[in-house]
Amino acid sequence: MARVLISGASVAGPVLAYWLRRFGFEPTVVERTPALRHGLGGHAVDLFGSGVEVVRRMGLWAQIHEARTRTTIMTLERRGGRPVDVNVDRLSAGISDQHVEILRGELTKILYDATRADVEYLFGDSIATVHDDGSGVDVTFDHAAPRRFDLVIGADGLHSTVRRLVFGPEEGLRRPLGGYLAVYSLPDLFDLGNRMLVHIDVNRIVSTYGVHQTGEARAAFLFRKPEELRFDHRDQEQQRQIVEAEFRDCGWRVPQLLEHLATADDFYFDAINQITLDSWCRGRVGLVGDAGFSPGPAIGGGTSLAAVTAYVLAGELASARNDLPAGLRSYEQRISRYVDLSRAAAVKTMRSVIPGSRTAVRLVPWATATLVKLPASIQKLAWSQNGLGKALGALQLPDYSPHLTSR
């Protein structure tokens, strides 16, 4: 039974572990954060199209659908303009026939619960060194004893440890798209219910939406800068100061939201960057999800991309069971067009989602409200022109059921 080490327990990691186990492999998942971090934290993410189909094949659709955010109305507001209500379900239907929005923490918890009985998890640890000698991979950890695996897979996100150790420093592989995202929890200050409030300004957007499971809310800040900001991705105090500086003069409800910035214990901030590796495998080491090809957080369908590519990776490894490096190469060939289209769509979305002028600020609410009133076929054509709809439909899931060895 081939032993596979997976670094990262967010989305791609547990999906990969689930399918590897079903295909008769022995997966181990190492995750830097403690197990207790798996809860209702994180921002809302979307599963579209084939991403939904992956969790259906895992038997998790009912749980994930029940845990959805249940946001149905998005109210778009701008300074000096009338609020515009948009039906979220109609907007999503234009992108894909299958869709669910769910908090990232809730999704990872469901994926972890579906795998923890059959998969070994090493929480609170990280890979220190990787040595691939051609017949196996020797790994040392920050805390656990050294071990040997048949494969190592980096599913550890934008700042992947596996990618840094095997493929090189992040700086040489990162493509900044000019955007930044911050998210944190706070009390439901505005009695949101099923409504998301969105304030649009030049080069910045602020939103807040309710979390029905806890009665709290999330605040999300998205902004764009012409120059790349330099910051330590582990220094949260520095990141909080950046958000405060960018939004302190925004008006609207922002001062009330910022009052809770300093005390939020689930604060998240990062640049919207792509990873631009041309190859996601090297010998017996591979990458999946944002670790290999982040299209850009919040703008490129990265959650669906993570789930789908993890499923395909497991299936291609099962198909090439006697030659695992060949399975990695086959996986790369299978997903390359999907990844390329997702990256291209993210670049277009980054340019359009955050208005860059007063004229664009005035037009966005009207254009969005008009779009959702159009027939679904016209909406899909519009999203296809943007590129996101085309990217999400670029890969039909292969059938790997002949390789299943367990239920």
Side-chain angles (χ1 to χ4, degrees):
M1 184 180 293
R3 294 172 298 175
V4 181
L5 176 65
I6 303 165
S7 178
S10 182
V11 176
V15 171
L16 176 60
Y18 173 90
W19 287 106
L20 285 177
R21 189 66 182 173
R22 293 288 310 275
F23 294 140
F25 291 78
E26 184 180 333
T28 295
V29 179
V30 58
E31 167 59 40
R32 182 186 298 275
T33 60
L36 293 179
R37 287 285 298 274
H38 286 260
L40 290 169
H43 56 288
V45 298
D46 298 279
L47 285 171
F48 291 103
S50 295
V52 170
E53 182 59 27
V54 168
V55 298
R56 285 188 190 277
R57 294 185 186 187
M58 296 171 72
L60 301 178
W61 173 245
Q63 285 179 259
I64 289 173
H65 188 260
E66 177 64 23
R68 68 194 186 280
T69 61
R70 303 186 187 180
T71 300
T72 57
I73 300 295
M74 178 171 60
T75 300
L76 302 174
E77 303 185 17
R78 62 178 177 84
R79 193 174 303 175
R82 294 170 53 188
V84 174
D85 287 345
V86 174
N87 184 294
V88 173
D89 290 335
R90 285 186 60 85
L91 184 64
S92 300
I95 303 173
S96 173
D97 293 332
Q98 299 187 92
H99 168 254
V100 66
E101 181 185 69
I102 183 172
L103 295 176
R104 176 175 286 275
E106 185 85 332
L107 177 59
T108 60
K109 180 180 183 299
I110 292 171
L111 295 173
Y112 169 63
D113 287 343
T115 54
R116 62 180 178 174
D118 300 315
V119 173
E120 178 188 19
Y121 279 83
L122 304 175
F123 284 104
D125 209 344
S126 183
I127 296 173
T129 65
V130 175
H131 176 65
D132 180 356
D133 64 12
S135 60
V137 187
D138 293 307
V139 177
T140 64
F141 300 89
D142 289 345
H143 303 294
R147 292 166 67 173
R148 185 171 174 84
F149 297 89
D150 297 287
L151 285 179
V152 172
I153 304 296
D156 41 357
L158 187 62
H159 306 296
S160 168
T161 296
V162 172
R163 189 185 64 233
R164 173 177 56 81
L165 291 172
V166 178
F167 294 82
E170 179 180 316
E171 290 73 18
L173 307 172
R174 185 179 64 216
R175 179 190 182 188
L177 298 187
Y180 300 84
L181 171 69
V183 183
Y184 57 87
S185 296
L186 72 167
D188 185 357
L189 305 173
F190 310 118
D191 192 24
L192 294 165
N194 65 351
R195 184 179 299 271
M196 173 189 289
L197 301 177
V198 182
H199 178 69
I200 305 169
D201 201 353
V202 177
N203 288 327
R204 53 189 180 180
I205 295 176
V206 184
S207 65
T208 183
Y209 53 91
V211 179
H212 67 87
Q213 297 97 325
T214 65
E216 291 187 312
R218 292 283 190 278
F221 299 79
L222 188 63
F223 65 99
R224 181 168 51 198
K225 301 288 285 184
E227 71 282 353
E228 183 178 2
L229 296 178
R230 300 293 180 179
F231 62 94
D232 182 344
H233 73 269
R234 292 195 176 93
D235 186 344
Q236 289 201 344
E237 181 56 35
Q238 179 191 28
Q239 296 162 20
R240 291 174 204 262
Q241 291 173 6
I242 291 172
V243 175
E244 169 72 27
E246 290 295 328
F247 288 92
R248 66 165 64 105
D249 66 340
C250 197
W252 190 61
R253 305 169 193 253
V254 173
Q256 293 163 276
L257 299 176
L258 290 177
E259 286 178 4
H260 300 270
L261 172 63
T263 56
D265 60 6
D266 62 349
F267 173 77
Y268 166 88
F269 176 85
D270 214 336
I272 299 178
N273 292 332
Q274 292 187 338
I275 297 299
T276 57
L277 279 166
D278 294 326
S279 176
W280 310 300
C281 60
R282 185 165 295 178
R284 289 179 173 266
V285 179
L287 301 171
V288 67
D290 283 353
F293 33 78
S294 171
I299 62 168
T303 303
S304 291
L305 186 66
V308 171
T309 55
Y311 169 81
V312 172
L313 173 54
E316 294 302 314
L317 291 175
S319 301
R321 194 176 303 271
N322 297 323
D323 188 350
L324 297 180
L328 288 177
R329 295 190 295 272
S330 180
Y331 146 77
E332 185 173 272
Q333 293 169 2
R334 281 267 193 183
I335 68 168
S336 59
R337 181 172 180 271
Y338 183 22
V339 171
D340 288 344
L341 288 172
S342 296
R343 285 173 174 167
V347 173
K348 291 182 179 180
T349 303
M350 185 73 248
R351 292 171 182 162
S352 61
V353 73
I354 308 177
S357 67
R358 287 292 172 198
T359 300
V361 169
R362 290 194 298 270
L363 289 176
V364 164
W366 171 84
T368 306
T370 300
L371 178 65
V372 299
K373 294 176 183 178
L374 297 174
S377 59
I378 304 300
Q379 286 191 56
K380 288 179 180 178
L381 179 61
W383 282 110
S384 179
Q385 293 299 315
N386 169 272
L388 184 57
K390 184 178 181 180
L392 291 168
L395 180 63
Q396 296 298 313
L397 291 186
D399 178 12
Y400 297 113
S401 57
H403 304 292
L404 293 173
T405 62
S406 63
R407 303 188 63 147

